[in-house]
Amino acid sequence: MTTSISAPKVVLLAVHLATKADIDSLTSLASQHDKVLHTELLLRILLTCLPETLKSSEYVSLLERIDADVVEEHPKDIDCSSVEHFTETEATKKVRRLRLLPLAAPGVSKEALGDPISLFLIQRAHRVDEEAGLLTQLPDLIVPFLDHSPCIRSWMISALLPLLRRNHEYYPDNPIHYTLSEFENLNDRAAVSLLLDQTGNREEDLPFIGRDLRGLMGPWLYNDARWKREDGNRADLCVVSESGEATLKRNLCPGWEQMLEWLTTHASKSWKVAVNAIEQWDGLDDVDLGGYGCMWFKDEEQGYLEQRYARAALASAYLIPEASVEALAGVNSIIAKIMALLDQDPYPTLQVASTILPPYSDNGTESMLCPKNATMMRNNLLEESNILTTPSARSTRLLHALTLSAFILTKAGALCTVRRAGELAFLQHEREQEAEALNFINKLRNNAPKADDKYWIRARNELMWLRDWGAEEAEESSHGKIHGVFGQLKKEFLEVECLKAFLSSGRYSLARSIFEDSPAKPLSNEVLEGTIIAAAMNAYDDASNTNRSRGRLLECDDIIHAFPKTMPENNPAAQRIEALLKATHGLSKYRLVLKPNQPFRPVVLRVHSDPISIIGKVLEQNPESHTRLQDFLEIGANMVEAGLATRDKPGKPSPTSEEMSEQRSLAEKRVTAMCVDAALTEDDFETAYSYVVNRLGSIGGSTPVGSSARQASAFVDDYSWKAALQAGKYRRTARTLRPTHIGTSSGNPDIRHLEKRMECLSAALRIAPPATLQEILNVFRRCEEELDAAVKTEDEQESAWDDKGDVKAMPGAFSMTVPAGVKKQTRAKSRQEEAPMSLFELSRVSMSRAQQNFNLLSSLQRSGQARDDAQDAQGELEHTPGQPKARKRDQLREAAVGTLASGVGWLIGAQPVKPNENE
Ligand SMILES: *[C@@H]1O[C@H](CO)[C@@H](O)[C@H](O)[C@H]1NC(C)=O
Ligand SMILES: *[C@@H]1O[C@H](CO)[C@@H](O)[C@H](O)[C@H]1NC(C)=O
Ligand SMILES: *[C@@H]1O[C@H](CO)[C@@H](O)[C@H](O)[C@H]1NC(C)=O
């Protein structure tokens, strides 16, 4: 028994037993000497001496005994040997030297003061954590005493539990490096940010964000100390503002504010954390106190915390920087959460909403959608004054309209965040809206499934909704029209863009049914026609192939034929485009390269400053194509019909029918002239000759030669006479293609060729402007001399033949029927006749003296009629066999002279002789 030992020795023995962790003996000792080992002393001994590594369960019963003040009935024997050998003086001295720790430590809560057990538990917990690092042992120590005092419960839940979970349960690999007591002494913001600093950091942590908020934030709030009152008293949470609405004082719970900032900061960086947080956590109603208690807040506290949480959630929606369908679906779930908090019916999913396209209405006294309010999406999101983040039906309606807008755009591929949608709707910048709308339509077009009218019907509905957010056109709310994200854009503009998209996606019948057949007629006829033409031309200009049965040209073709009411066949624009397609398609049969290594594109034709010249390129690049004159004439005519010849002169009235016919005839001549040139280049004189005499010669009459009309007309035919002259200059070489059909008129190819050249030259004379006549005459004269020489040579050869020939040796009929002498005579005579009429002489005289010598002129006019004869002459030349050569030359000369007469007549102001005009 230890009843006999002195008080100092009891104390020393208790210290000894505590140090050895002999709880049983210590319990007995305390029981027997409860006067000496009173509660506080015993607790101090335990606090100081009991090893911190000792399991809590070993000494909790002792503590409970102390707490309950129970006395042991059958005390056991205690080994006193450790203190027996001390004298009383030694013992007293030793007790005095014991440095027992005090129970009260700085920073302990007021409620715990005067409660040794509470003080002990908290101090003991701190020491177990600091000395042994055994935080996990502490629940065993504390839980039995939860009912001992409210301060133990709130300390356990608000301090120990969060740190324990954070460091040992949730993120043991990344613990907070603070002791329990250091953690308790952190300010609210620092503590909360440490608690949450691992939350949602890794993808695999995302499902646990709700757990963290529930299990860390919730318990942490379970403490009155978390509430800050400016004056240190329990201030009224509500202050009444001028408007009469109750608003809450800011920053009453700094830790909660910290959590909200954590949330919004994450929203602006990683939407997944914010959205998961809000989806997974319902706020105050959703806390996990580990079964150690239940949360209870005053109504105003509860209201404050909930309002702030909802505001942060709304703020997060505006802050989310990612434009993706997933992120926006996340925003929608945020809205749903807030509506639930506000006891409102939730909106459907965005997918469903985008098919319903619900109307947006704002029946506040003043619209929230004003430019000034745009800054509220960026700044002071958590401020009470921010109406966008004030949890209310009004703010959620607006957020929903913005989210749905962003979703519709993003879904199509025109990525848009809530904030971007907000900027479009708040600021109402027309340019920005237009760019966004065009981008949207473009993406719709690029991502359009093949042949899906439903897709486009829906897209159009969405586009229109984005403009007015479903408000009826006529209906105006109390403060003007509702303007959606495309509110500044005219309905017509959007309809036109829609129509363009329909057409470029090949949705012709859909376009027809909406824009042409429907009674609603979204576009006026004029605009509709203009858009169709523009779309057709767009397709045309985009085409890479000149074949109208293919690619974009086919599209162009389809577009102008898709609207029979708007673009009937007699529509001038439709006709022009049809002609353009024909002209283009005409080129598709030929090789054509304007720039090296660049295939010819239809648009080049349309914008070419001289489209008909392209035919020249075709002729150059396609050997023998000059024989296909008819083809090229058609192409040229179609170019004229397509309006290419007079294109693009701004302010110029469309050509009159006379102008058109002039253009047509000019094009015809020019194309023919090109074929003549091409034929000559390829040494195909016969074809050139035939085009000159059959076409240029005959059509030449239609342009008034030498008249004043020549200058007045914008379309001067400088092509025909030049081509005729070129042909007239052509000299036969070995390369010259032989005529396929040799006329019987002359067996001598040189003579025949010279005659044909002279025909060409006389055609040139008929159609050339006066200033050029001299040049042509020079050529004509040389040609004539050559012909004379050739004829002479031939005559001589024939005479030589005749002279040397023997009638018997040559049984042919010719020399038999015509005596040689007669023949010679005839030739001499014809040459005599020619002499005074030398064309060269004639021209020289006429050019120099015409004005004075009227006699000469009238003698020239006498042969004016020869023009017509000349035209007939070629036929005669070809088809009348056996005519003497002299006769033919005369005819040629006559023809030339007739032309000259009219030309010179013009020079001196006389009326040209033009029999054609009389008809
Ligand atoms: C308009 O506001 C009143 C309250 O001012 C509210 O009861 C009503 O539901 C609102 N209307 C709509 C369409 O939101
Ligand atoms: C935002 O709009 C509201 C109207 O709903 C208006 O009362 C408020 O002054 C605006 N805020 C700012 C910052 O312009
Ligand atoms: C034009 O395209 C159609 C269809 O591909 C083809 O049948 C035709 O032969 C093409 N014409 C030319 C001249 O290439």
Side-chain angles (χ1 to χ4, degrees):
M1 287 303 280
T2 60
T3 41
S4 55
I5 63 173
S6 63
K9 286 194 177 175
V10 168
V11 172
L12 288 181
L13 185 56
V15 167
H16 174 74
L17 293 174
T19 309
K20 275 174 52 195
D22 184 351
I23 302 297
D24 284 350
S25 300
L26 186 58
T27 307
S28 282
L29 185 67
S31 187
Q32 289 162 35
H33 300 277
D34 58 341
K35 293 288 175 295
V36 178
L37 295 174
H38 59 87
T39 301
E40 186 172 346
L41 179 59
L42 187 54
L43 290 173
R44 287 182 68 188
I45 289 169
L46 288 175
L47 182 64
T48 312
C49 304
L50 202 59
E52 279 83 8
T53 49
L54 188 64
K55 285 174 100 179
S56 304
S57 54
E58 311 246 332
Y59 61 99
V60 161
S61 57
L62 170 58
L63 295 176
E64 281 170 338
R65 207 175 279 280
I66 296 167
D67 186 26
D69 224 358
V70 180
V71 179
E72 210 170 30
E73 281 169 16
H74 306 290
K76 62 176 246 182
D77 282 344
I78 299 167
D79 177 6
C80 299
S81 57
S82 60
V83 297
E84 272 168 354
H85 57 279
F86 293 133
T87 64
E88 291 306 321
T89 325
E90 276 174 334
T92 308
K93 214 168 163 189
K94 276 187 185 297
V95 167
R96 212 174 289 136
R97 267 198 256 127
L98 282 177
R99 291 275 175 271
L100 293 180
L101 299 167
L103 291 180
V108 85
S109 77
K110 280 180 211 158
E111 294 152 72
L113 289 175
D115 174 3
I117 289 283
S118 295
L119 289 172
F120 169 81
L121 288 171
I122 293 169
Q123 281 280 64
R124 177 69 187 172
H126 288 164
R127 288 187 63 79
V128 168
D129 173 45
E130 280 153 36
E131 305 297 328
L134 288 175
L135 209 57
T136 48
Q137 279 297 310
L138 297 180
D140 288 348
L141 174 64
I142 307 296
V143 168
F145 299 95
L146 286 179
D147 289 328
H148 170 80
S149 152
C151 77
I152 288 299
R153 187 184 297 278
S154 77
W155 175 82
M156 161 83 197
I157 293 175
S158 73
L160 176 56
L161 185 59
L163 187 65
L164 190 62
R165 281 176 166 167
R166 167 72 179 71
N167 281 2
H168 292 275
E169 195 179 332
Y170 297 172
Y171 302 101
D173 296 336
N174 297 288
I176 296 176
H177 293 289
Y178 282 113
T179 64
L180 178 58
S181 79
E182 284 168 339
F183 175 71
E184 284 174 56
N185 287 321
L186 288 173
N187 71 43
D188 300 78
R189 287 180 173 273
V192 168
S193 72
L194 279 173
L195 284 176
L196 297 179
D197 74 350
Q198 295 297 316
T199 299
N201 275 5
R202 298 168 306 170
E203 191 74 19
E204 62 263 37
D205 295 333
L206 291 177
F208 300 111
I209 296 175
R211 174 204 69 183
D212 288 7
L213 291 167
R214 209 173 285 126
L216 299 175
M217 224 22 237
W220 192 86
L221 280 175
Y222 190 88
N223 190 335
D224 252 5
R226 306 301 182 222
W227 295 85
K228 293 277 154 24
R229 275 105 208 167
E230 279 144 30
D231 53 6
N233 297 317
R234 287 191 70 91
D236 270 342
L237 278 163
C238 293
V239 289
V240 176
S241 70
E242 290 154 38
S243 66
E245 274 176 60
T247 53
L248 291 153
K249 276 192 182 168
R250 293 256 1 242
N251 236 12
L252 289 175
C253 183
W256 188 249
E257 295 295 323
Q258 183 66 32
M259 184 275 292
L260 304 180
E261 278 168 32
W262 170 88
L263 183 64
T264 53
T265 305
H266 270 291
S268 64
K269 296 188 304 207
S270 152
W271 65 273
K272 286 187 180 170
V273 172
V275 167
N276 275 290
I278 297 164
E279 276 179 348
Q280 292 173 28
W281 193 42
D282 293 338
L284 286 180
D285 291 336
D286 184 19
V287 296
D288 174 8
L289 304 185
Y292 302 133
C294 9
M295 200 73 113
W296 179 88
F297 288 103
K298 293 177 157 224
D299 281 351
E300 63 266 29
E301 286 173 342
Q302 174 107 12
Y304 160 80
L305 295 172
E306 278 177 357
Q307 287 274 311
R308 296 295 295 164
Y309 180 52
R311 185 179 287 278
L314 284 164
S316 299
Y318 283 100
L319 287 169
I320 286 175
E322 189 178 307
S324 68
V325 167
E326 296 77 29
L328 291 167
V331 172
N332 203 49
S333 73
I334 292 177
I335 298 174
K337 174 59 67 73
I338 292 163
M339 308 219 29
L341 290 175
L342 293 172
D343 270 337
Q344 294 175 344
D345 291 336
Y347 290 112
T349 65
L350 291 172
Q351 203 60 255
V352 172
S354 71
T355 58
I356 301 171
L357 297 174
Y360 163 79
S361 65
D362 174 16
N363 65 357
T365 50
E366 237 181 308
S367 172
M368 290 194 281
L369 285 168
C370 61
K372 274 195 301 175
N373 274 343
T375 59
M376 290 192 185
M377 295 189 298
R378 285 178 189 281
N379 305 324
N380 307 326
L381 283 156
L382 294 177
E383 297 284 341
E384 293 294 321
S385 61
N386 193 321
I387 53 166
L388 300 186
T389 56
T390 301
S392 67
R394 210 176 160 211
S395 61
T396 48
R397 265 202 307 270
L398 175 61
L399 178 58
H400 184 256
L402 293 174
T403 309
L404 184 53
S405 301
F407 173 77
I408 289 171
L409 292 169
T410 300
K411 172 170 67 89
L415 307 186
C416 180
T417 59
V418 171
R419 188 194 287 176
R420 170 74 183 148
E423 278 162 358
L424 293 170
F426 281 107
L427 301 177
Q428 292 290 330
H429 281 167
E430 190 177 347
R431 281 257 189 91
E432 299 267 311
Q433 292 186 353
E434 186 179 316
E436 197 64 51
L438 292 177
N439 184 33
F440 174 54
I441 294 167
N442 212 23
K443 299 285 186 197
L444 284 171
R445 189 174 11 221
N446 293 344
N447 302 330
K450 284 249 177 305
D452 187 351
D453 280 355
K454 279 195 195 133
Y455 170 90
W456 281 111
I457 291 169
R458 183 172 170 172
R460 177 166 169 265
N461 291 340
E462 288 173 347
L463 186 66
M464 295 306 155
W465 183 86
L466 288 172
R467 179 174 169 270
D468 58 14
W469 278 349
E472 287 299 316
E473 189 73 351
E475 181 195 313
E476 302 202 355
S477 64
S478 54
H479 37 266
K481 280 229 174 72
I482 296 286
H483 290 304
V485 293
F486 295 156
Q488 282 300 302
L489 303 179
K490 294 215 163 45
K491 196 163 188 188
E492 183 182 85
F493 170 81
L494 295 177
E495 294 281 16
V496 164
E497 291 304 319
C498 248
L499 173 56
K500 284 191 200 164
F502 286 8
L503 295 181
S504 67
S505 311
R507 312 318 311 141
Y508 304 126
S509 61
L510 177 68
R512 185 167 54 238
S513 72
I514 292 179
F515 293 97
E516 193 175 79
D517 295 340
S518 90
K521 280 247 163 212
L523 292 174
S524 72
N525 276 348
E526 248 178 14
V527 174
L528 178 58
E529 182 183 329
T531 308
I532 294 165
I533 292 169
M537 291 319 291
N538 218 32
Y540 180 90
D541 286 353
D542 234 24
S544 55
N545 194 301
T546 48
N547 187 332
R548 76 182 284 179
S549 317
R550 285 180 172 183
R552 300 281 273 153
L553 278 202
L554 176 61
E555 236 172 76
C556 172
D557 197 338
D558 288 342
I559 290 172
I560 53 164
H561 294 111
F563 299 87
K565 290 182 202 150
T566 314
M567 303 282 285
E569 273 186 15
N570 60 5
N571 176 297
Q575 285 173 335
R576 268 200 304 280
I577 295 174
E578 177 60 29
L580 180 62
L581 286 172
K582 279 186 182 154
T584 315
H585 186 75
L587 295 173
S588 70
K589 283 179 253 170
Y590 300 97
R591 196 184 115 75
L592 177 55
V593 179
L594 294 193
K595 283 186 188 149
N597 302 323
Q598 276 182 29
F600 180 78
R601 292 166 52 101
V603 66
V604 174
L605 169 65
R606 195 176 72 74
V607 303
H608 204 281
S609 60
D610 182 12
I612 291 186
S613 72
I614 291 173
I615 294 177
K617 295 282 179 195
V618 173
L619 287 162
E620 273 171 31
Q621 294 171 18
N622 296 268
E624 294 182 32
S625 57
H626 61 262
T627 57
R628 304 167 80 166
L629 176 64
Q630 202 51 43
D631 243 23
F632 294 116
L633 288 177
E634 266 170 40
I635 294 174
N638 279 319
M639 285 178 182
V640 172
E641 297 309 318
L644 298 184
T646 50
R647 186 203 44 241
D648 286 353
K649 304 212 173 95
K652 209 186 150 199
S654 52
T656 62
S657 59
E658 283 128 71
E659 281 170 327
M660 280 304 282
S661 83
E662 273 186 49
Q663 281 178 29
R664 268 192 288 271
S665 105
L666 183 69
E668 184 183 347
K669 285 176 226 161
R670 187 172 171 199
V671 170
T672 310
M674 282 172 170
C675 287
V676 169
D677 285 342
L680 294 174
T681 308
E682 292 177 41
D683 289 300
D684 183 2
F685 174 79
E686 293 300 320
T687 303
Y689 161 78
S690 130
Y691 290 166
V692 169
V693 296
N694 290 321
R695 300 206 160 252
L696 296 182
S698 60
I699 57 183
S702 62
T703 297
V705 173
S707 77
S708 55
R710 197 184 156 83
Q711 271 76 26
S713 169
F715 315 106
V716 179
D717 174 18
D718 265 337
Y719 309 108
S720 305
W721 70 267
K722 279 184 181 162
L725 175 60
Q726 276 322 107
K729 281 178 174 173
Y730 182 86
R731 284 175 179 281
R732 234 161 69 88
T733 68
R735 286 191 312 276
T736 305
L737 295 179
R738 302 195 163 273
T740 47
H741 164 77
I742 300 170
T744 48
S745 56
S746 172
N748 183 329
D750 284 331
I751 290 176
R752 179 79 193 93
H753 181 69
L754 282 165
E755 283 169 351
K756 286 184 174 175
R757 280 179 60 193
M758 285 176 72
E759 276 180 75
C760 292
L761 290 170
S762 75
L765 281 171
R766 277 201 305 281
I767 55 184
T772 62
L773 293 180
Q774 185 65 61
E775 181 196 351
I776 303 171
L777 283 170
N778 290 345
V779 181
F780 191 98
R781 179 179 56 84
R782 278 195 298 276
C783 213
E784 189 179 40
E785 284 165 5
E786 280 178 47
L787 180 60
D788 282 347
V791 168
K792 199 167 158 197
T793 313
E794 192 195 41
D795 284 353
E796 281 164 9
Q797 281 170 353
E798 276 178 24
S799 315
W801 180 260
D802 292 348
D803 292 348
K804 146 177 132 184
D806 178 54
V807 175
K808 288 164 201 153
M810 269 289 290
F814 189 73
S815 51
M816 292 284 282
T817 48
V818 185
V822 179
K823 207 171 170 193
K824 268 184 194 164
Q825 252 183 350
T826 320
R827 283 192 195 117
K829 183 168 171 267
S830 73
R831 267 195 286 278
Q832 263 175 11
E833 280 165 8
E834 283 160 29
M837 281 290 284
S838 161
L839 193 63
F840 176 56
E841 286 300 314
L842 184 69
S843 65
R844 206 174 48 174
V845 169
S846 63
M847 298 299 270
S848 58
R849 297 198 303 160
Q851 241 164 337
Q852 297 99 323
N853 196 337
F854 209 78
N855 287 340
L856 179 54
L857 180 66
S858 49
S859 79
L860 288 172
Q861 278 179 338
R862 180 170 41 83
S863 49
Q865 190 62 34
R867 293 181 71 186
D868 287 349
D869 301 345
Q871 280 167 21
D872 299 330
Q874 68 223 4
E876 273 176 59
L877 286 169
E878 291 287 353
H879 305 299
T880 319
Q883 291 279 359
K885 279 175 211 129
R887 164 91 202 279
K888 274 176 268 161
R889 254 177 292 152
D890 290 345
Q891 284 173 334
L892 287 174
R893 186 178 297 109
E894 295 261 298
V897 166
T899 309
L900 190 60
S902 58
V904 173
W906 171 79
L907 267 183
I908 60 167
Q911 213 40 44
V913 180
K914 289 188 67 188
N916 288 353
E917 278 181 353
N918 299 334
E919 292 166 17

